[in-house]
Amino acid sequence: MTALLTALGAAAAIIAATSGGAPTAAVSTTLIDAQIVEVYVFLLAAFIGFQIITKVPPLLHTPLMAATNAISAISLVASIVIAGAERPLFINIMGAVAVAAATINVVGGFVITDRMLKMFKKTEGPK
Amino acid sequence: MIDQQIGALFVQVAYIGASAAFILGLRGLTKPDTARRGMQLAAFGMLLAIIGTLLNHEIVSYEFIIIGLVVGSAIGLPMGLLVPMTAMPQRIAISHMFGALAVTLVGIAEFIYTRDSAGGPGVVKMTAIGFETLFGALTITGSFMAFGKLQGFIPGRPITFPGQKLINAAVFFGAVGLYVTLVLTQSGGSTEAGLIMFAVMTVLALVIGVTLVLPIGGADMPVVVSLLNSYAGLAASATGFAIGNNILIVAGALDGASGFILSILMSKAMNRSFANVLFGAFGGEKAAASAKSAEGLTTRSVTPEDAAMRIGYARNVIIVPGYGMAVAQAQHAVRELAELIEKRGGRVRFAIHPVAGRMPGHMNVLLAEANVPYDHLFDLDEINEEFHACDVALVLGANDVTNPAAKSDPGSPIYGMPILNVQDAEQVIVVKRGMATGFAGIENELFYLDKTSMLFGDAKSVLSQVVTEVKGL
């Protein structure tokens, strides 16, 4: 638990530290730094993911798949930028399709996960 | 200027909050009673990330965003609310397709945009964009194939043809070769060549998705679905690298890790090496070998009345559900039977093999839907030692996962696969539609044991009869 929180804090600190560096940074060294930090973020997130997900009981493996699927629909964030930024029309349209596809997963994924988790009940009351 | 900086800061704070919410939300899933609140937290994190993104200063118009959000919600909400639990494997498979579609479109758009803008994408960014598009595209078609097999409009049996492996290898190395070329030449230079290379690479990746899933049979679907889950996550993570967005990297890595772990668990439960799974070489050869023939052996068939007598007076019953239960939609009848036995003073537990059904955790969800309390559901490791103390083991449409040959016969194709020790029970009742072999194509010795009774018929109607009989005891 404490290890997890430490790792979480470290990841957050790194994300915070990189947030200042816009991708347009002109100096190439900062660009490389930013990319190295991205690798750190990936490794830490994957590490935390492994730690947590190995503890998910087989009982909940189907909700787990539905949930991670909904979470990975975070690509919605990238799709929104492409749909709304100042780019050629056909790229905006591709973005709109991407937004729709990702939204299906965000909305459908969280709703269905909740529907499943709602069903898991313990034996009612002591006998 | 200052306004813009405050805006950017707000976006990043929203993303950090969302990352924390995702991680804590998944942590909630480690226990059934904290799971629901955990996922609500994760959903809140998603909302935060979306709101943060809408404030991004790059966005100049909202029409397309709103159209996408509305269309997506209009499709996603009914899908989430109405899809029946029995169709969950299909629904998970098709959702991997939607996720991959979004990622691939972003990849293609980024490729075209960065080529047209000054300086091109550069080696690092091209690496990420290429990886994203490659994995995204093969996940689109792979997931659609898996969806088709699970839904039944593509034959569930393995589809093979001569020279298949050679063609697969050619397509695979073609796609990877183009990818490497694109990276080394930084998107293929300023000519049309780069665009063509990228287009061909994407098409080849789409073909890989098809050929990857084509030779895989229905019972191997838990591995495929987990693997596609992992690919979809990795592609999302690559998107994060491509556009320099950490929240995508974090969420993609979580998804990738989850799919990877499930793939490993599933392949272990099927006694296959992970390399075997990764290269998609499964499902092919093993049907050929058949260990023991059933000649000279006889089974004992019983009527529902006989079965009801034994089950009704049993003190300790373990039910082993398999894909047959899902096909027959027998989970409600099973729950009714279990409650009846408990009312009569018996104890009922469910033994669930990791690869029972068509996706990880399939049986648990079906039984939970039928209101079986989750503290009655046990994993292989938890319950395997309990079989010798049980009066009746009731096998419902499960086959290979109960075959004792996996332990006793080194010549058997499934030798070494972890199985449920059903043969240790005092009596075994097997509900089955006929004597057809399971997916591995081999005879199950369990069916020929003296203590085993076969109860032939559709699981749902047979169990309903048993329930009626037990009520009358």
Side-chain angles (χ1 to χ4, degrees):
Chain A
M1 181 60 204
T2 35
L4 178 75
L5 283 180
T6 321
L8 187 63
I14 287 168
I15 295 169
T18 52
S19 62
T24 48
V27 191
S28 63
T29 49
T30 45
L31 196 61
I32 290 172
D33 283 349
Q35 278 149 357
I36 291 292
V37 171
E38 283 172 1
V39 177
Y40 269 98
V41 172
F42 176 78
L43 283 178
L44 287 174
F47 176 73
I48 294 173
F50 259 88
Q51 293 298 310
I52 295 176
I53 287 154
T54 42
K55 292 199 188 85
V56 175
L59 176 73
L60 295 176
H61 274 170
T62 298
L64 171 70
M65 288 193 97
T68 52
N69 194 257
I71 288 174
S72 77
I74 187 72
S75 48
L76 176 59
V77 164
S79 314
I80 286 177
V81 173
I82 286 172
E86 205 173 350
R87 306 223 172 146
L89 181 68
F90 76 97
I91 287 190
N92 284 153
I93 292 174
M94 278 168 78
V97 177
V99 168
T103 308
I104 293 175
N105 273 5
V106 170
V107 176
F110 280 116
V111 168
I112 213 158
T113 310
D114 191 61
R115 246 180 83 201
M116 274 192 270
L117 292 174
K118 207 160 52 182
M119 300 182 322
F120 284 92
K121 295 184 203 84
K122 265 190 195 155
T123 314
E124 282 160 27
K127 281 197 176 167
Chain B
M1 187 64 205
I2 286 180
D3 280 359
Q4 216 178 63
Q5 277 187 346
I6 291 174
L9 183 68
F10 179 80
V11 173
Q12 292 303 330
V13 168
Y15 285 174
I16 293 169
S19 304
F22 291 163
I23 290 167
L24 291 172
L26 283 179
R27 203 171 67 90
L29 272 181
T30 54
K31 288 195 193 77
D33 43 343
T34 56
R36 210 175 158 205
R37 204 182 307 157
M39 287 330 295
Q40 284 160 357
L41 181 66
F44 173 73
M46 183 63 79
L47 190 68
L48 208 61
I50 294 168
I51 294 173
T53 310
L54 290 173
L55 299 174
N56 188 317
H57 64 90
E58 272 186 77
I59 294 173
V60 290
S61 70
Y62 285 88
E63 296 95 327
F64 286 112
I65 298 174
I66 291 167
I67 293 171
L69 287 173
V70 169
V71 171
S73 306
I75 302 172
L77 195 61
M79 258 180 85
L81 287 173
L82 303 177
V83 169
M85 289 299 150
T86 38
M88 200 52 69
Q90 294 91 300
R91 135 76 224 191
I92 300 269
I94 198 79
S95 66
H96 291 151
M97 188 192 83
F98 288 126
L101 178 66
V103 164
T104 310
L105 286 171
V106 170
I108 295 171
E110 278 296 304
F111 178 79
I112 296 171
Y113 183 70
T114 48
R115 265 174 66 85
D116 293 345
S117 60
V123 174
V124 178
K125 196 163 177 176
M126 190 56 227
T127 308
I129 293 176
F131 185 89
E132 170 191 350
T133 312
L134 207 58
F135 267 70
L138 78 86
T139 307
I140 294 176
T141 46
S143 302
F144 185 75
M145 293 293 294
F147 171 71
K149 288 199 172 209
L150 291 165
Q151 187 72 36
F153 63 81
I154 296 172
R157 66 189 158 75
I159 299 171
T160 50
F161 52 85
Q164 192 169 26
K165 287 204 166 135
L166 208 67
I167 293 171
N168 288 358
V171 174
F172 177 77
F173 285 110
V176 172
L178 285 170
Y179 171 46
V180 172
T181 314
L182 281 165
V183 169
L184 293 180
T185 58
Q186 300 191 22
S187 83
S190 55
T191 56
E192 295 283 298
L195 273 179
I196 295 170
M197 274 198 277
F198 191 79
V200 174
M201 181 194 84
T202 310
V203 172
L204 287 180
L206 290 170
V207 175
I208 293 174
V210 176
T211 55
L212 194 71
V213 182
L214 210 54
I216 296 168
D220 278 340
M221 280 301 151
V223 191
V224 179
V225 175
S226 310
L227 204 58
L228 291 169
N229 188 12
S230 180
Y231 288 169
L234 290 177
S237 223
T239 312
F241 281 101
I243 64 170
N245 187 329
N246 286 313
I247 182 93
L248 276 158
I249 298 177
V250 171
L254 292 173
D255 191 24
S258 159
F260 187 68
I261 290 171
L262 290 175
S263 308
I264 290 178
L265 287 177
M266 294 302 116
S267 49
K268 263 190 193 152
M270 291 179 149
N271 196 33
R272 297 230 182 80
S273 75
F274 188 63
N276 188 314
V277 172
L278 258 190
F279 295 107
F282 43 107
E285 302 95 24
K286 59 184 211 166
S290 178
K292 284 180 184 165
S293 82
E295 270 174 60
L297 295 170
T298 48
T299 58
R300 211 150 44 99
S301 155
V302 292
T303 60
E305 296 81 59
D306 286 342
M309 287 289 279
R310 297 168 201 214
I311 295 170
Y313 291 111
R315 300 289 86 194
N316 191 344
V317 178
I318 297 179
I319 300 177
V320 181
Y323 186 55
M325 182 188 82
V327 172
Q329 306 254 6
Q331 63 270 30
H332 296 277
V334 176
R335 192 250 313 148
E336 212 180 325
L337 181 63
E339 279 179 356
L340 212 53
I341 300 168
E342 280 174 351
K343 215 176 277 172
R344 296 174 60 88
R347 183 180 187 200
V348 182
R349 283 171 293 178
F350 290 82
I352 296 172
H353 194 275
V355 293
R358 288 294 185 261
M359 74 175 158
H362 192 179
M363 293 298 128
N364 297 300
V365 171
L366 290 182
L367 290 168
E369 187 205 11
N371 277 323
V372 175
Y374 66 76
D375 45 23
H376 286 37
L377 312 178
F378 294 89
D379 308 336
L380 182 100
D381 297 334
E382 290 173 333
I383 203 156
N384 236 356
E385 298 308 313
E386 307 282 327
F387 275 103
H388 61 84
C390 103
D391 306 326
V392 175
L394 180 62
V395 179
L396 281 179
N399 192 344
D400 293 337
V401 297
T402 62
N403 193 340
K407 278 194 170 158
S408 57
D409 178 10
S412 171
I414 60 164
Y415 183 69
M417 174 172 145
I419 56 150
L420 289 162
N421 296 331
V422 177
Q423 79 279 3
D424 290 349
E426 195 161 312
Q427 286 188 64
V428 181
I429 298 176
V430 178
V431 178
K432 222 172 162 312
R433 270 176 301 180
M435 275 314 286
T437 54
F439 177 70
I442 50 170
E443 290 293 340
N444 191 341
E445 293 168 23
L446 179 74
F447 302 159
Y448 303 100
L449 296 178
D450 282 341
K451 62 170 94 167
T452 306
S453 314
M454 306 297 290
L455 185 52
F456 290 113
D458 172 73
K460 191 177 176 181
S461 65
V462 163
L463 283 177
S464 309
Q465 289 174 48
V466 172
V467 167
T468 319
E469 293 294 331
V470 173
K471 274 182 187 158
L473 285 177

